[in-house]
């Protein structure tokens, strides 16, 4: 399909092909699993505050639903396109299967720069988007969540728009909501907390410790900022963080509390809380753990050779290209692949959905303990698979996820 042919989609398919080949996947499943099950492209006319009508393009792609309803975030970013959303949906399928969640994968997005809209425009855009994708979503069908550029407020508007259409409150239609309408304790920090839990396991496996480890984090949005805070609480030295405009560095360790307290509209490199560095310099810092927590394809054949971390913990989706993977393997860098490292978000989304369906809510300790159980056992299984089958951690994670999905397809059989 020509519209899918973008760099991010090619990366997701190339990873899939490599895993499918290594595991000898049934050829009858391969073509289907490379493509989304369903894709919807919507036009969103939005009344701007000055009275003009601007038309945005939105997407919702369901990659697979053989193991349950499809699940995945909604991204608001100017570069969003069908290929990227389809790639992210495919990664969600493998991510949910690897963690053992009863979900398939999906993703949505709108090509928009959300910070350039007023809150009222953002609300109108979100409500129109929710109304246009209404036929596809629902607590038993497909459950959106936050991703890059979206947050709990946007989920609240989506939940309200859906609920208005059916005539009663349906909290389970989205996750990552505010607590007052059925959100879960611990959901906002969940991806970051998950990154910390798996990184901690890897450090232990390598006989290293988080206490005193040096950490560089690319991206200071939801994933990067919570990762920084929780790692800092565990005694790690956060030597660098960055946002789109650049970053901050301090060999002694940055004052994360002060960084989190500053006015969020101020670019990081203007905060004077460290020395200014570029995003490219951040990736090349000598550190124990490097966490890419921004966008995809950041670590490529051009810069992989310059990485000087011991562990690469992928908070973002798709941050590393296949060529870069080979270089990192030669350098002996331990890669914690995205579908494992950042799965804490969707794991706690699953807890939120279960709580919404049961109308029975859990304590913060329950959430943390259950997240820890699921993510650390997914890591142990992946490590075991990787050692036993002599494949990289990325291939081990993909092959385990794909295998779960393949079994579901084969056991359900082909309709009609
Ligand atoms: N957007 C997050 C991810 O990429 C979370 C998705 C969800 O909670 O459904 O995994």
């Amino acid at each position: 399909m020509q519209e899918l042919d973008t760099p991010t989609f090619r990366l997701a398919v190339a990873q899939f092909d490599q895993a499918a080949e290594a595991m000898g996947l049934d050829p009858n499943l391969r073509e289907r699993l490379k493509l989304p099950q369903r894709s919807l492209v919507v036009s969103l006319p939005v009344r701007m505050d000055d009275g003009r009508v601007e038309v945005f393009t939105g997407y919702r792609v369901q990659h697979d639903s053989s193991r349950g309803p499809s699940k995945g975030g909604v991204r608001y970013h100017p570069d969003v396109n069908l290929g990227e959303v389809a790639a992210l949906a495919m990664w969600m399928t493998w991510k949910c299967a690897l963690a053992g969640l009863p979900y398939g994968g999906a993703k949505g997005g709108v090509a928009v720069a959300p910070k350039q809209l007023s809150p009222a425009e953002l609300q109108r855009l979100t409500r129109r988007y929710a109304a246009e994708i209404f036929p596809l979503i629902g607590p038993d069908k497909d459950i959106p969540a936050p991703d890059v550029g979206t947050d709990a407020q946007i989920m609240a508007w989506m939940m309200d728009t859906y609920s208005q259409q059916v005539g009663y409150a349906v909290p389970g239609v989205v996750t990552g909501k505010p607590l007052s309408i059925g959100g879960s304790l611990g959901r906002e920090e969940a991806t970051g907390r998950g990154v910390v839990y798996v990184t901690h396991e890897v450090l232990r496996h390598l006989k290293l410790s988080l206490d005193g480890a040096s950490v560089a984090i690319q991206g200071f949005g939801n994933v990067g900022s919570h990762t920084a805070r929780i790692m800092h609480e565990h005694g790690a030295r956060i030597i660098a963080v960055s946002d789109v405009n650049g970053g901050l560095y301090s060999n002694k360790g940055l004052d994360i509390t002060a960084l989190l307290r500053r006015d969020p509209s101020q670019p990081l490199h203007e905060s004077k809380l460290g020395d200014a560095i570029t995003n490219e310099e951040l990736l090349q810092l000598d550190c124990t753990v490097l966490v890419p927590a921004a966008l995809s394809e950041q670590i490529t054949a051009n810069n992989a050779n310059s990485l000087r971390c011991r562990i690469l913990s992928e908070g973002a989706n798709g941050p590393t290209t296949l060529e870069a993977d080979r270089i990192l393997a030669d350098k002996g860098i331990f890669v914690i692949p995205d579908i494992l490292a950042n799965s804490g978000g969707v794991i706690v989304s699953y807890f939120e959905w279960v709580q919404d369906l049961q109308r029975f809510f859990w304590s913060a300790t329950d959430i943390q303990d259950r997240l820890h159980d699921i993510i650390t056992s997914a890591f142990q299984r992946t490590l075991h698979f990787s050692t036993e089958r002599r494949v990289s951690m990325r291939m081990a994670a993909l092959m385990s996820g794909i295998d779960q999905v393949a079994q579901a397809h084969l056991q359900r059989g082909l309709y009609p």
Side-chain angles (χ1 to χ4, degrees):
M1 226 192 286
Q2 207 191 339
E3 314 81 70
L4 292 176
D5 194 23
T6 65
T8 316
F9 189 69
R10 282 199 288 274
L11 172 59
V13 169
Q15 288 179 349
F16 171 78
D17 279 337
Q18 206 179 60
E21 205 47 48
M23 64 196 279
L25 182 67
D26 184 336
N28 283 327
L29 287 174
R30 289 196 199 185
E31 275 316 298
R32 160 60 191 89
L33 290 179
K34 268 187 215 186
L35 293 168
Q37 177 178 347
R38 241 181 231 137
S39 317
L40 179 66
V41 182
V42 292
S43 299
L44 310 169
V46 177
R47 175 87 56 198
M48 306 306 276
D49 292 344
D50 64 7
R52 279 177 313 116
V53 173
E54 206 167 307
V55 183
F56 298 89
T57 306
Y59 308 89
R60 185 72 188 171
V61 173
Q62 298 170 343
H63 172 259
D64 193 71
S65 60
S66 58
R67 302 176 57 262
S70 49
K71 185 88 192 78
V74 175
R75 179 171 290 202
Y76 283 1
H77 189 278
D79 299 337
V80 161
N81 57 54
L82 186 61
E84 182 191 45
V85 176
L88 291 161
M90 188 190 297
W91 284 324
M92 285 309 301
T93 303
W94 317 141
K95 192 187 298 186
C96 293
L98 177 65
L101 310 180
Y103 290 138
K107 203 81 171 196
V110 178
V112 60
K115 287 201 177 112
Q116 284 170 20
L117 300 191
S118 71
E121 290 167 340
L122 199 58
Q123 176 168 178
R124 289 194 288 272
L125 171 73
T126 300
R127 288 186 178 279
R128 185 61 187 245
Y129 172 67
E132 293 295 342
I133 66 164
F134 177 82
L136 255 55
I137 60 173
D140 295 320
K141 289 159 99 179
D142 179 10
I143 306 125
D147 195 77
V148 173
T150 58
D151 58 13
Q153 176 60 77
I154 288 175
M155 294 307 116
W157 291 326
M158 289 190 70
M159 178 272 188
D160 184 67
T161 306
Y162 183 91
S163 301
Q164 295 298 342
Q165 309 258 345
V166 296
Y168 52 92
V170 186
V173 66
V174 292
T175 58
K177 299 176 295 295
L179 283 177
S180 59
I181 52 170
S184 174
L185 292 170
R187 174 60 187 90
E188 199 200 90
E189 62 163 33
T191 311
R193 184 166 288 282
V195 169
V196 179
Y197 286 162
V198 260
T199 306
H200 192 247
E201 288 294 299
V202 172
L203 285 161
R204 261 205 342 190
H205 167 68
L206 299 174
K207 313 239 172 331
L208 297 167
S209 158
L210 192 52
D211 193 11
S214 54
V215 181
I217 304 176
Q218 184 198 42
F220 207 59
N222 173 280
V223 181
S225 62
H226 286 292
T227 302
R229 177 181 58 79
I230 301 167
M231 286 208 173
H232 176 71
E233 284 166 11
H234 283 78
R237 189 160 46 95
I238 313 297
I239 60 167
V241 296
S242 67
D243 58 25
V244 268
N245 302 305
L248 280 180
Y249 168 77
S250 162
N251 192 37
K252 293 199 317 285
L254 296 163
D255 183 347
I256 297 300
T257 319
L259 276 173
L260 290 170
R261 251 198 249 121
R262 80 187 205 292
D263 170 7
S265 65
Q266 181 193 44
L268 279 174
H269 65 281
E270 284 173 16
S271 72
K272 307 232 164 47
L273 290 162
D275 302 329
I277 50 163
T278 65
N279 263 298
E280 203 48 52
E281 287 165 343
L282 180 143
L283 295 176
Q284 300 176 14
L285 288 173
D286 189 358
C287 56
T288 318
V289 184
L290 173 64
V291 184
L295 296 173
S296 62
E297 294 131 287
Q298 298 298 302
I299 300 162
T300 67
N302 296 332
N303 61 5
N305 240 320
S306 317
L307 260 58
R308 287 187 292 156
C309 57
R310 178 71 190 86
I311 298 167
L312 180 71
S313 191
E314 297 184 335
N317 288 310
T320 310
T321 66
L322 271 190
E323 301 74 43
D325 264 339
R326 276 189 284 274
I327 300 170
L328 301 182
D330 287 345
K331 288 168 70 83
I333 293 178
F334 193 106
V335 176
I336 318 178
D338 50 1
I339 60 168
L340 173 62
N342 71 35
S343 62
V346 73
I347 293 171
V348 178
S349 274
Y350 166 59
F351 300 160
E352 180 174 333
W353 177 78
V354 168
Q355 293 171 83
D356 289 339
L357 297 186
Q358 299 188 337
R359 275 118 171 108
F360 177 72
F361 290 86
W362 312 349
S363 71
T365 323
D366 287 341
I367 308 266
Q368 286 185 15
D369 291 350
R370 288 179 159 139
L371 167 62
H372 188 266
D373 271 3
I374 294 183
I375 205 163
T376 56
S377 63
F379 165 71
Q380 292 301 344
R381 275 185 276 116
T382 310
L383 182 66
H384 182 74
F385 193 112
S386 152
T387 325
E388 191 121 288
R389 308 277 289 265
R390 293 167 190 269
V391 293
S392 68
M393 282 295 281
R394 182 175 326 279
M395 279 305 125
L398 287 167
M399 289 161 74
S400 320
I402 294 169
D403 184 53
Q404 297 295 315
V405 178
Q407 283 184 40
H409 274 267
L410 292 173
Q411 268 151 6
R412 284 180 59 160
L414 188 61
Y415 177 87

